[in-house]
Amino acid sequence: MTPPLITLEEHFFSSAVPENLKPKYSEQLKHVDGVYDKAVDLGALRLRDMDAGGVALQVISHVPGLSDNPVACHAANDQLAGVIKAKDQSKGRFAGFAGAPMGHPDQAAAELRRAVTELGFVGALIDNHHNGKFFDGPEYEPFWAAAEELDVPIYLHQTWASEDMAPHYQGNFTQGAAMSMASSGLGWHTETALHVLRLFASGLFDRHAKLKMIIGHMGETIPFMLERIQVLSRRWGDFQRDFKTVYDENIWITTSGVWSLNPLRCILANTKLDHILYSVDYPFQKNEIGLEWIKDLEKSGLVNEEELNAIAYGNAERLLGVKVPKL
């Protein structure tokens, strides 16, 4: 029997967002049918799509692009919290990851604290960089300290290439190809992996040994390079724990938007099973496709029933302190 599903990388588009954010999503709006209508909906349409894909609980976060806008982050978090608390609208099937204005580190830390302690969010989903700047500098210590103190995970999520990054993805091909390579075609994933390595090299996980971090899309290439990273990272400095230990203890990965069992075969060989979480990447991916993937996994023999249930919902319940609602 297919288990109930909890999904963690699921997005919305707030009514508080400036219009100039929409052009960044031109490729998605062009190629993903109905994506905007689904992104702005926090009610019946979203719940209908959840039902179609067997999703019992959706952890919702804002789409990337608000790292330089504290006011919009605050307003988007308030909008989402209002919907979650309105049981007649959410049916008790939504939880929230906060957006944080990472271009303003002190305000990002304050907004994380507010969202968790006042709004009841279960963590945060943040842009992977701010205009090309990663978050391994000392100015981000208050943010990481707050996440550890609050005991909530930070989902490190891809965002658009900055002006200095973009030329690396441009060449003798269409602008559409360049935009895709810089984003979901590859660049988002390798840039997120690089960020995780930078955070490790900075000693972040030694300073904040209980920090919890989530990365999506089958681990953003890290599981497939894990053994090589483990060997080479020994040259990067003196750390209290090596990279593999940090990977085992501090990092969770989701399956979001990768609908093949082949990556999972690798992950099951080198990643703790209780750190693997199901996700979809709604509305940019369809819940129904994810459900078919779960059914394929169930029939594959790669995992037993207990392990399938853990990936589907159990690991998320333990990490986030949520429960599958009774439908």
Side-chain angles (χ1 to χ4, degrees):
M1 179 178 176
T2 304
L5 304 174
I6 295 177
T7 57
L8 287 77
E9 191 180 324
E10 323 307 320
H11 305 298
F12 85 109
F13 208 110
S14 172
S15 57
V17 170
E19 287 293 315
N20 61 10
L21 183 60
K22 291 181 183 178
K24 292 181 178 290
Y25 291 87
S26 59
E27 289 299 303
Q28 286 88 345
L29 293 173
K30 184 189 307 181
H31 295 291
V32 184
D33 186 45
V35 68
Y36 183 74
D37 290 340
K38 293 178 179 181
V40 298
D41 182 86
L42 288 170
L45 177 57
R46 185 174 293 259
L47 288 166
R48 186 196 72 189
D49 285 350
M50 290 168 63
D51 289 341
V55 177
L57 179 69
Q58 192 179 78
V59 185
I60 305 172
S61 55
H62 199 271
V63 296
L66 298 184
S67 67
D68 201 29
N69 197 326
V71 173
C73 270
H74 189 287
N77 289 337
D78 281 351
Q79 180 186 352
L80 179 58
V83 171
I84 293 171
K85 292 174 182 177
K87 300 299 184 182
D88 58 328
Q89 185 172 351
S90 69
K91 310 299 182 185
R93 296 176 62 187
F94 299 157
F97 278 149
M102 298 303 290
H104 306 266
D106 288 339
Q107 293 183 61
E111 183 62 12
L112 173 63
R113 290 185 182 277
R114 184 186 79 92
V116 173
T117 62
E118 297 180 21
L119 303 183
F121 284 7
V122 295
L125 183 142
I126 63 172
D127 289 3
N128 183 51
H129 61 83
H130 173 65
N131 292 335
K133 181 179 182 179
F134 296 103
F135 309 142
D136 50 85
E139 65 272 31
Y140 288 100
E141 279 295 302
F143 178 82
W144 298 120
E148 183 181 39
E149 178 188 330
L150 294 164
D151 193 27
V152 294
I154 302 299
Y155 201 127
L156 197 58
H157 189 278
Q158 306 79 17
T159 194
W160 310 101
S162 60
E163 288 186 8
D164 62 324
M165 292 174 168
H168 297 293
Y169 300 100
Q170 295 168 348
N172 188 31
F173 36 79
T174 66
Q175 181 62 18
M179 291 179 66
S180 180
M181 280 188 267
S183 56
S184 52
L186 180 66
W188 276 354
H189 312 299
T190 55
E191 297 287 358
T192 303
L194 174 63
H195 197 173
V196 173
L197 300 192
R198 289 177 61 117
L199 293 171
F200 170 77
S202 76
L204 176 70
F205 296 102
D206 284 347
R207 296 189 300 275
H208 302 288
K210 300 298 184 182
L211 184 64
K212 298 173 180 177
M213 184 170 292
I214 307 172
I215 53 177
H217 307 102
M218 296 287 187
E220 310 292 11
T221 75
I222 288 177
F224 319 113
M225 297 294 292
L226 182 58
E227 284 71 26
R228 184 169 175 82
I229 293 168
Q230 167 66 2
V231 171
L232 295 178
S233 60
R234 294 170 184 154
R235 307 174 182 176
W236 301 353
D238 295 323
F239 305 104
Q240 295 170 22
R241 296 176 299 153
D242 62 17
F243 184 82
K244 182 58 165 63
T245 303
V246 167
Y247 181 79
D248 286 344
E249 296 178 355
N250 299 89
I251 296 173
W252 282 254
I253 68 174
T254 76
T255 65
S256 55
V258 182
W259 307 127
S260 169
L261 294 179
N262 290 330
L264 190 64
R265 288 184 170 90
C266 169
I267 289 166
L268 289 170
N270 64 10
T271 303
K272 292 173 64 177
L273 189 123
D274 61 357
H275 280 225
I276 305 170
L277 311 161
Y278 175 69
S279 287
V280 172
D281 203 359
Y282 180 91
F284 306 107
Q285 295 285 325
K286 293 183 177 181
N287 293 325
E288 297 93 323
I289 298 176
L291 179 58
E292 289 305 311
W293 183 86
I294 282 285
K295 291 178 178 178
D296 288 344
L297 176 58
E298 187 176 14
K299 293 182 291 187
S300 70
L302 288 173
V303 295
N304 60 34
E305 182 179 3
E306 181 181 357
E307 293 166 336
L308 178 69
N309 290 341
I311 293 170
Y313 68 91
N315 293 340
E317 286 186 328
R318 286 183 285 274
L319 176 63
L320 304 179
V322 298
K323 285 291 183 183
V324 168
K326 295 180 179 179
L327 302 180

